[in-house]
Amino acid sequence: MATILVTGGCGYIGSHTCVELINSGYDVIVLDNLYNSKEVVLDRIKMITGIRPKFYKVDILDREGLNRIFDENKIDAVIHFAGYKAVGESVSIPLTYYKNNISGSINLYEIMKDHGVKTLVFSSSATVYGDPASVPIKEDFPLSTTNPYGTTKLQNEQILKDVYVSDNKWSILLLRYFNPIGASKSGLLGETPNGIPNNLLPYIAQVATGQRDFLRVWGNDYDTVDGTGVRDYIHVVDLAKGHCKAIEYALKHEGVECINLGTGHGYSVLQVKDAFEKACGKKIAYKIMDRRPGDIATCYADTSKAKEMLGWQAEYNIEDMCNDAWNFASKNPNGIE
Ligand code: NAD
Ligand code: UFG
């Protein structure tokens, strides 16, 4: 079976993807600088799968470190998760974001090229669609961004399209994730944001565990079912399984393709809150606030390309996502430690 290097493999989506890759029989090597994660995640992966992936504590900005990984291992393909991901922070420290997400990624692509490794799955984001003119969003919709984080995703997509034009032996899948939430059913892996969470689910979970007093709902005057923002939430395990399908496809086909990974269904903030209340058996206090700058009303995916090309579609519903997120949050109130 093929050997897959997973950059950012100790992080939220990367760790769940390692589990699915190992369960599918792949050999997995993890690269992470542990900026936003902990090495103990690898022990948790072993508790679930029986295998602790080989680990390199390496920064993608460190070319020597990267070279060493490719010299020491016969790598067939790379899944590239490593990067910074906080939208608001990217506005305050854009250069840090461009350096990590662009310069770091270019290092990785160059070193892959030097070692003849030309199969890559890249973590892009639905943020590249900006404020879409309509929903569901198809892959050929116009692209734009409203913050440096989003720009790093769009620029990586463009760089990789150019790489393919220069050498059509590459096989590159640009996966545009919608809103990943939830956690491994085992309760051993999940999302543990640092500081005050920006994203909806970790914030709701902290209200449920008593770490926050109430949920701030960013606006209820959008043109949506109840006025609150609508998003396409996708279970992180479904997303991880999508990566296995993507790797399977990429190992067999040359080309460059963008693919949405979502469920195709939109839920409002208040609908998610209601589903979480059912999952945790507690009331989630909330207050309606002004709109959050940069937010859009509605975002959900057209998922037909993933279905046709990868033979993949999401299986879990919003109840599963909230149950599994609560299972993880209640078992790990201080995150993975
Ligand atoms: P995460 O922060 O949990 O995981 C990213 C991992 O990369 C972390 O373990 C971090 O330590 C590591 N990392 C960061 N910079 C590094 C560097 N220079 N060298 C080596 N390792 C480095 O984030 P996540 O939610 O798992 O997201 C994974 C990828 O998916 C990111 O590229 C993110 O932008 C993208 N994405 C995430 C979401 C989301 O909502 N979570 C949505 C769309 C796209
Ligand atoms: N929301 C609240 N209160 C909160 C947090 C969020 O009401 O405390 C609302 C937002 O206004 C939005 C919805 O919940 O309507 C989802 O917000 P998130 O911050 O969880 O997610 P976003 O859709 O804003 O952004 C996420 C990722 C981005 C990614 C984008 C598109 O954080 O990195 O999805 O995929 F680019």
Side-chain angles (χ1 to χ4, degrees):
M1 207 62 171
T3 299
I4 316 297
L5 175 68
V6 180
T7 79
C10 292
Y12 174 47
I13 306 172
S15 58
H16 289 85
T17 300
C18 288
V19 167
E20 297 304 323
L21 288 169
I22 293 169
N23 286 343
S24 303
Y26 291 101
D27 286 326
V28 173
I29 299 173
V30 168
L31 171 170
D32 203 302
N33 67 355
L34 305 179
Y35 167 82
N36 196 32
S37 53
K38 297 195 176 127
E39 192 175 341
V40 66
V41 163
L42 300 167
D43 299 327
R44 301 263 176 127
I45 293 173
K46 182 172 179 193
M47 287 164 80
I48 300 170
T49 64
I51 292 175
R52 192 182 198 273
K54 186 169 180 184
F55 176 57
Y56 287 86
K57 184 173 184 292
V58 163
D59 194 303
I60 54 171
L61 289 165
D62 166 12
R63 293 180 61 92
E64 265 180 39
L66 279 175
N67 259 316
R68 190 161 53 87
I69 300 175
F70 284 85
D71 287 342
E72 289 177 5
N73 300 280
K74 200 206 145 293
I75 291 165
D76 297 295
V78 177
I79 306 184
H80 180 31
F81 293 107
Y84 296 155
K85 63 167 183 176
V87 171
E89 186 183 66
S90 78
V91 177
S92 319
I93 48 169
L95 295 175
T96 307
Y97 269 68
Y98 287 115
K99 188 169 179 186
N100 202 43
N101 294 7
I102 302 288
S103 305
S105 297
I106 290 175
N107 280 342
L108 174 70
Y109 309 148
E110 278 181 342
I111 287 160
M112 286 177 68
K113 178 173 161 279
D114 292 348
H115 289 79
V117 180
K118 298 183 179 178
T119 303
L120 173 71
V121 172
F122 173 70
S123 295
S124 188
S125 165
T127 195
V128 299
Y129 295 114
D131 190 354
S134 63
V135 281
I137 301 171
K138 286 179 86 76
E139 285 84 352
D140 60 2
F141 274 27
L143 304 178
S144 68
T145 62
T146 53
N147 57 73
Y149 165 72
T151 306
T152 68
K153 291 296 172 194
L154 193 52
Q155 288 180 348
N156 263 283
E157 287 200 2
Q158 189 57 53
I159 290 165
L160 290 168
K161 286 175 186 167
D162 290 341
V163 166
Y164 176 72
V165 169
S166 74
D167 175 359
N168 56 25
K169 290 279 175 232
W170 280 79
S171 172
I172 300 169
L173 291 180
L174 310 168
L175 301 183
R176 295 175 177 159
Y177 314 153
F178 282 67
N179 290 52
I181 61 170
S184 160
K185 297 250 170 253
S186 64
L188 291 167
L189 296 175
E191 189 175 16
T192 50
N194 289 327
I196 303 172
N198 283 310
N199 294 120
L200 181 62
L201 249 286
Y203 203 102
I204 292 184
Q206 292 194 0
V207 176
T209 53
Q211 290 158 284
R212 313 261 160 221
D213 292 336
F214 58 88
L215 169 68
R216 297 164 302 173
V217 175
W218 302 125
N220 68 347
D221 57 352
Y222 289 105
D223 183 15
T224 62
V225 58
D226 55 22
T228 65
V230 167
R231 296 289 182 275
D232 185 338
Y233 296 95
I234 173 167
H235 198 299
V236 67
V237 172
D238 273 331
L239 195 62
K241 288 179 176 166
H243 285 75
C244 288
K245 291 286 189 186
I247 274 292
E248 196 182 313
Y249 180 92
L251 286 167
K252 288 190 200 133
H253 303 82
E254 286 153 7
V256 60
E257 295 284 348
C258 323
I259 303 180
N260 288 340
L261 293 186
T263 65
H265 303 289
Y267 289 94
S268 75
V269 175
L270 294 179
Q271 287 170 335
V272 174
K273 176 198 76 69
D274 290 348
F276 204 90
E277 284 180 343
K278 274 201 200 120
C280 71
K282 303 178 192 191
K283 276 279 167 207
I284 303 292
Y286 71 94
K287 285 188 190 165
I288 304 293
M289 318 292 282
D290 287 341
R291 290 181 179 196
R292 184 170 67 175
D295 271 358
I296 58 176
T298 304
C299 175
Y300 59 91
D302 181 308
T303 59
S304 46
K305 188 169 177 184
K307 211 179 293 176
E308 282 155 26
M309 193 169 273
L310 305 180
W312 170 91
Q313 60 183 329
E315 286 167 8
Y316 293 114
N317 60 28
I318 195 75
E319 281 77 30
D320 299 315
M321 300 180 214
C322 290
N323 284 336
D324 296 338
W326 174 241
N327 181 41
F328 175 76
S330 52
K331 286 182 176 156
N332 304 271
N334 302 315
I336 297 174
E337 42 184 16

